[in-house]
Amino acid sequence: METNSGTRPGVVTAGSLLLVTAGLTVAGEVLLSYDEYVTGMRVYEQAAVDHIIASQTAFAAYGGALHLCMATLGLLVAAGVVVAGLLSFFGIRWARMVAWIMAMPVLLWYGLLETIYVVFGGGKSPETELDRRLDEAWPDWLHTLDMTLIGVALATLGVALICQTVPAADAYFSRHVARPAPDSLLQL
């Protein structure tokens, strides 16, 4: 592994720690979002048993499998951001590129979700029995927490990526590491 032995600029330290924080925030949001989905499915299943809605078990099975796959993917991306942050903290050059590759889809997706929430998320639909049950199972403060985690992840990822690309960070990661000459390996 190529590490940088120079003095690490504060902006690299800040960017690396922000990447770790962002990755942990994304992981928390993914778990919270998955819990919201599972809670909603339990409410729908009970509503179907109580004949409030028609049973949609085939759709629920596909939705459950899809949501589990997406949650797993989200946790893997979050872990990748954390690892990239730790590696860039220690001066591993390619960790910056990995951070950008892992963070860009998160930034785009969370940016879209936050925009939709701000534009369309304020109003309540007409109150039905199903809505009442969903509100009991998943209170508004949990949804607000979810949106807050998304906002925090957006901000920390954005600032972290900027910190990783300022001139001081670029100079730090661009320094060449001394490598042994090929013929000196033969003398071992």
Side-chain angles (χ1 to χ4, degrees):
M1 246 188 261
E2 294 180 13
T3 61
N4 195 327
S5 59
T7 303
R8 181 178 46 250
V11 72
V12 172
T13 301
S16 299
L17 295 176
L18 284 171
L19 280 173
V20 171
T21 302
L24 295 173
T25 304
V26 168
E29 191 283 326
V30 166
L31 292 172
L32 186 63
S33 177
Y34 185 73
D35 184 52
E36 179 180 16
Y37 178 80
V38 170
T39 301
M41 287 309 302
R42 284 191 204 120
V43 170
Y44 278 108
E45 289 170 359
Q46 186 59 45
V49 168
D50 296 342
H51 302 292
I52 294 172
I53 61 170
S55 178
Q56 300 287 330
T57 55
F59 174 75
Y62 289 120
L66 180 63
H67 214 80
L68 180 61
C69 290
M70 294 309 294
T72 303
L73 179 64
L75 290 174
L76 289 173
V77 168
V81 171
V82 169
V83 169
L86 292 172
L87 292 177
S88 67
F89 181 82
F90 292 109
I92 309 291
R93 296 177 187 185
W94 53 264
R96 277 196 319 170
M97 181 176 57
V98 170
W100 276 89
I101 291 169
M102 298 298 242
M104 287 311 292
V106 174
L107 285 172
L108 294 172
W109 177 247
Y110 278 0
L112 176 68
L113 288 178
E114 199 72 18
T115 301
I116 289 171
Y117 179 72
V118 167
V119 173
F120 301 109
K124 282 287 229 178
S125 61
E127 194 71 24
T128 64
E129 176 61 18
L130 183 60
D131 291 329
R132 186 190 64 71
R133 288 180 180 201
L134 285 169
D135 286 344
E136 283 178 10
W138 192 262
D140 283 340
W141 70 268
L142 283 172
H143 188 69
T144 302
L145 175 62
D146 191 33
M147 289 295 112
T148 302
L149 288 174
I150 288 174
V152 169
L154 277 170
T156 54
L157 272 177
V159 172
L161 293 179
I162 290 169
C163 286
Q164 295 288 324
T165 57
V166 296
D170 195 41
Y172 173 72
F173 284 109
S174 296
R175 292 184 186 138
H176 294 288
V177 175
R179 296 183 187 185
D183 58 340
S184 66
L185 293 175
L186 298 175
Q187 297 173 0
L188 296 175

